[in-house]
Amino acid sequence: MTHANVPATTPPRSTLVVTAHAGDFVWRAGGAIALAASRGEKVTIACLTFGERGESAKAWRQGRDLAEIKAIRREEAEKAAAALGAEVRFFDAGDYPLVAGAELTDRLVAVYRETQPDVVLTHPVEDPYNGDHPAANRMALEARILAQAIGYPGEGDIIGAPPVFYFEPHQPEMSGFRPEVLLDITEVWETKRKAMECLGAQQHLWAYYTDLAVRRGVQLKRNAGPNLGLAHDTMAEAFMRPFPQIAKELA
């Protein structure tokens, strides 16, 4: 019971990340995740697949079988999520291709209703190099809508309409991606780098996403105005917004 003179505790903000494969959330949104976690917010990662078929070439070349590769990718993703301060949940829906189904939709709606996200991060609509990424986008947006519908069956309270941010794909120019939001991740960059280094199956991407953070940091400083006191070595991540921003003033 809450006494009249004691204010009710406000639950921490909640971020939900819907990602196709085990590494995607680290490369594309590790800084955003680490920033939210550093503020005491709850971050839940819905990892739809382990990326066992399409993003584990190193393990296949080593002669590992499917079960071994799933175990490797799961362990890597768990370590990376822990480094970022997030909880990761594995759906094991199978990649290449990732295919939507009623059971998978129900599970994802349940996560929305349980976590009651204030913010949703997921893949953009386009990616001509990897069909699993647009598939994850469609699933994330559909489940977000269904989780708002009082008539949709399932446990938990309905959600509101949390803003959605699309994180940057590996080939942004080919995927119609525009860096509409630049997030300063300088203060958690070392945390993101540590999480990246948990992903040994994709070690070839460590340098690429370090360089990308530098480039986006340069763009952030160029667009930030004169009085933000940004560090010389600012690091950043880029996002798109599919829905209008709600505001009481323009800033």
Side-chain angles (χ1 to χ4, degrees):
M1 172 181 281
T2 301
H3 295 288
N5 60 343
V6 179
T9 302
T10 302
R13 280 174 54 85
S14 172
T15 295
L16 176 61
V17 184
V18 182
T19 176
H21 309 112
D24 294 336
F25 69 90
V26 181
W27 313 121
R28 295 156 171 79
I33 293 168
L35 275 176
S38 72
R39 295 191 293 261
E41 299 178 18
K42 178 178 175 59
V43 184
T44 307
I45 301 162
C47 187
L48 300 180
T49 84
F50 296 112
E52 62 271 16
R53 296 187 185 277
E55 299 195 348
S56 303
K58 178 180 176 181
W60 285 109
R61 293 189 183 106
Q62 291 172 342
R64 306 298 185 101
D65 63 28
L66 183 62
E68 290 177 312
I69 292 170
K70 285 186 177 183
I72 291 169
R73 298 310 308 276
R74 181 185 188 113
E75 182 179 7
E76 289 182 352
E78 286 176 338
K79 288 181 178 178
L84 297 172
E87 175 193 1
V88 60
R89 303 185 188 184
F90 299 103
F91 284 62
D92 194 12
D95 70 326
Y96 274 56
L98 170 60
V99 179
E103 181 182 357
L104 181 56
T105 298
D106 284 345
R107 291 173 63 192
L108 195 50
V109 169
V111 172
Y112 269 94
R113 288 183 171 178
E114 177 192 343
T115 60
Q116 294 288 311
D118 297 283
V119 174
V120 176
L121 309 180
T122 194
H123 299 268
V125 174
E126 299 179 46
D127 190 336
Y129 296 96
N130 193 317
D132 289 355
H133 296 161
N137 167 277
R138 293 191 296 271
M139 294 178 200
L141 296 189
E142 180 183 23
R144 173 182 174 273
I145 293 171
L146 296 176
Q148 298 174 57
I150 194 168
Y152 187 85
E155 297 183 1
D157 296 330
I158 61 172
I159 68 169
V164 177
F165 293 85
Y166 293 163
F167 40 64
E168 184 166 3
H170 191 63
Q171 298 279 1
E173 299 87 352
M174 300 299 295
S175 302
F177 182 87
R178 289 175 55 85
E180 297 171 342
V181 178
L182 293 169
L183 181 68
D184 186 346
I185 63 167
T186 308
E187 67 183 84
V188 295
W189 167 249
E190 291 303 325
T191 300
K192 177 173 180 175
R193 177 70 193 198
K194 179 181 177 182
M196 287 165 52
E197 292 176 359
C198 293
L199 303 177
Q202 294 177 290
Q203 186 173 348
H204 60 287
L205 294 178
W206 296 0
Y208 178 93
Y209 280 98
T210 298
D211 292 343
L212 179 59
V214 171
R215 294 199 303 274
R216 293 309 187 197
V218 170
Q219 292 176 330
L220 186 151
K221 288 189 292 183
R222 178 65 180 82
N223 289 278
N227 298 314
L228 293 184
L230 296 174
H232 175 70
D233 55 348
T234 299
M235 309 292 269
E237 289 175 342
F239 298 86
M240 283 182 67
R241 296 196 64 149
F243 302 115
Q245 177 179 347
I246 306 304
K248 292 186 177 180
E249 64 181 48
L250 296 178

